[in-house]
Amino acid sequence: MKNRKRMALRLAAQGAIVFFLALGAELVRPVRWLHLAATYGLLPLAGAYTAYRIVRAGVNPYLGWILPPLAATAAGFLVSLGYAPAAGPVLLTAFFSLAGAAAGDVVQKQRNGRGRGKR
């Protein structure tokens, strides 16, 4: 039971980090270069890093990668009052988060001795 609470807390922290980063990226929309740098650069990297760290901490990789694109979408809907956010940054965040979760899973398996080459 203790492990489930810890996992839920880590997922909530990951969602909050990415959500508020995406919210900040949407709020700086009038400064075009800053908005593009945040949505196409910082947001996908934050999604990948948080997915990597959360999978390394023991969360299932399928749960670790899906939350950053959902949080980015939710922030876009909140700021634009119901209009869909741009698909590019959300898909880029999803791809980077998937790659980060996969990397975290591989590193976790190698550290546990279940990696490739260990029989």
Side-chain angles (χ1 to χ4, degrees):
M1 188 68 164
K2 192 178 198 181
N3 194 19
R4 286 186 185 201
K5 287 182 184 178
R6 195 175 293 161
M7 206 167 29
L9 188 62
R10 286 180 178 144
L11 283 171
Q14 179 193 25
I17 289 169
V18 175
F19 177 79
F20 286 117
L21 187 62
L23 191 65
E26 290 294 329
L27 291 176
V28 296
R29 189 177 287 257
V31 183
R32 180 112 174 114
W33 67 270
L34 187 58
H35 170 70
L36 290 176
T39 55
Y40 284 98
L42 191 59
L43 188 60
L45 291 178
Y49 180 73
T50 57
Y52 173 79
R53 295 296 298 173
I54 201 166
V55 170
R56 284 284 318 276
V59 176
N60 188 339
Y62 295 112
L63 289 175
W65 81 268
I66 196 68
L67 200 54
L70 291 178
T73 304
F77 273 117
L78 182 67
V79 169
S80 63
L81 300 174
Y83 291 105
V90 174
L91 291 174
L92 195 62
T93 302
F95 177 71
F96 274 53
S97 298
L98 184 62
D105 189 38
V106 167
V107 170
Q108 186 69 18
K109 284 181 180 177
Q110 285 178 349
R111 293 222 174 164
N112 289 341
R114 297 180 314 201
R116 189 175 167 170
K118 303 242 180 182
R119 294 185 190 221

